[in-house]
Amino acid sequence: MTAPNPFLDEDQRLALYGDARRLTQRTTVLGAAKVSGTPVAEVLASFLTDTPDHVLDVGCGRGGTTVHLVKAWLPGQLTALDASTALLDDAAARVADRAPELSPRVRFVAADFHDIPLPDDSVDVIVAAFCLYHSTDPGEVLAECRRCLRRNGRVILVTKSADSYAALDALVADANLDPGAVHRPSLYESFHSGNAEAVTASALRVDEVTHHHHRFRFSDPTHTARYLITNPKYELPEQSPHVIAEQLNSVLNGNGVSAQSTVTYVVASKT
Ligand SMILES: C[S@@+](CC[C@H](N)C(=O)[O-])C[C@H]1O[C@@H](n2cnc3c(N)ncnc32)[C@H](O)[C@@H]1O
């Protein structure tokens, strides 16, 4: 039997985001590996030229994007929504630390994005970055976004290609750490660069789709191992990065590994 996609399985998702540790390590290790690709916050900021009254950041996680949005757009209010109270606490601390003068405008809400606790026609701009692939039915979330949006309001969605970091699947298989990795479906299978436009069009008018190529270089076996243990796709025999690095070394011989991901932005509106 095929194991459920950990990004779509409710119990595994709760464990993944039950506290901030895994996401913090993943973000730090990926950041250190980044070679090229325009920062997501920079691209997001460029989509808006006017000042919105009310912004909703769906699946805000640790608030990395939230801080940039509130600083770049200066909205009258920003609602940051996530299912994980632990991550919301982290996000609140981040906003208070990095944008103290703007933090009174930001409200943190614990909720499921399939059932957004906001009135109809109450939001100007909704951002959902790297989170709709946690829904088995992202079209349902987009219909909910549509309900919350004012007329002519916009949604900005960010996701990754289904083949993101595929070079690492081949590596863990070659190193005999997880031979099944190359056959398992993408973590991003429900909402990725290849289907995001069509899924969005089921609920909203799609105005713009752009793809950005991001390249990564994990510098050596230890750096690679530190990333692999944060990726729930892999069924690793153990979680110590040093032991995993040793096994990777049989293939890498002290070298690093390159990987790539396409980041896709879909801008859509409520007509
Ligand atoms: C990778 S993080 C996204 C981080 C953030 N948007 C950013 O750009 O940095 C994915 C987030 O989606 C949230 N999430 C997953 N399923 C959700 C659901 N059904 N309702 C609300 N949030 C959910 C998780 O708790 C997690 O914080």
Side-chain angles (χ1 to χ4, degrees):
M1 203 178 80
T2 322
N5 180 334
F7 270 15
L8 297 176
D9 181 66
E10 175 77 9
D11 293 341
Q12 292 190 64
R13 180 177 62 74
L14 291 175
L16 287 173
Y17 297 114
D19 67 56
R21 279 174 301 183
R22 183 197 69 93
L23 193 54
T24 305
Q25 179 167 346
R26 182 175 169 83
T27 308
T28 308
V29 176
L30 262 182
K34 182 98 177 275
V35 175
S36 66
T38 313
V40 171
E42 214 174 281
V43 180
L44 278 174
S46 74
F47 285 122
L48 224 62
T49 48
D50 43 351
T51 303
D53 176 27
H54 187 186
V55 171
L56 169 63
D57 183 9
V58 167
C60 67
R62 297 172 57 236
T65 302
T66 318
V67 169
H68 288 288
L69 296 181
V70 77
K71 282 183 166 181
W73 294 345
L74 299 172
Q77 59 172 319
L78 188 150
T79 303
L81 179 149
D82 202 280
S84 163
T85 50
L87 296 187
L88 283 172
D89 287 348
D90 223 56
R94 180 163 284 98
V95 171
D97 180 46
R98 305 213 184 144
E101 68 294 354
L102 296 169
S103 66
R105 302 187 193 194
V106 186
R107 193 168 67 107
F108 297 89
V109 174
D112 189 313
F113 52 41
H114 298 88
D115 188 12
I116 299 171
L118 289 178
D120 297 0
D121 310 314
S122 61
V123 181
D124 302 293
V125 181
I126 299 179
V127 174
F130 306 115
C131 61
L132 289 191
Y133 43 63
H134 285 296
S135 172
T136 52
D137 187 359
E140 194 187 314
V141 184
L142 290 163
E144 185 62 350
C145 288
R146 180 186 166 82
R147 179 188 67 72
C148 296
L149 272 183
R150 295 184 177 133
R151 191 148 173 269
N152 297 323
R154 268 175 291 173
V155 170
I156 306 171
L157 309 166
V158 193
T159 192
K160 300 184 188 192
S161 51
D163 69 355
S164 292
Y165 323 113
L168 301 176
D169 297 355
L171 174 65
V172 293
D174 287 352
N176 214 22
L177 279 162
D178 179 6
V182 281
H183 306 297
R184 235 164 269 140
S186 167
L187 289 174
Y188 315 110
E189 68 178 324
S190 80
F191 192 76
H192 55 81
S193 301
N195 72 353
E197 179 173 358
V199 174
T200 307
S202 68
L204 295 150
R205 185 190 70 200
V206 174
D207 300 318
E208 188 180 340
V209 181
T210 43
H211 303 284
H212 289 237
H213 197 61
H214 287 225
R215 287 175 47 240
F216 301 86
R217 177 81 188 166
F218 298 90
S219 54
D220 56 32
T222 303
H223 186 191
T224 312
R226 289 215 162 93
Y227 170 75
L228 294 179
I229 59 171
T230 70
N231 189 324
K233 179 169 187 177
Y234 303 128
E235 293 171 8
L236 299 170
E238 81 136 274
Q239 287 294 306
S240 156
H242 299 294
V243 176
I244 291 172
E246 252 173 53
Q247 204 160 329
L248 288 174
N249 206 28
S250 64
V251 177
L252 293 177
N253 298 315
N255 294 315
V257 60
S258 298
Q260 65 82 40
S261 171
T262 301
V263 174
T264 295
Y265 301 82
V266 179
V267 181
S269 47
K270 175 170 171 175
T271 50

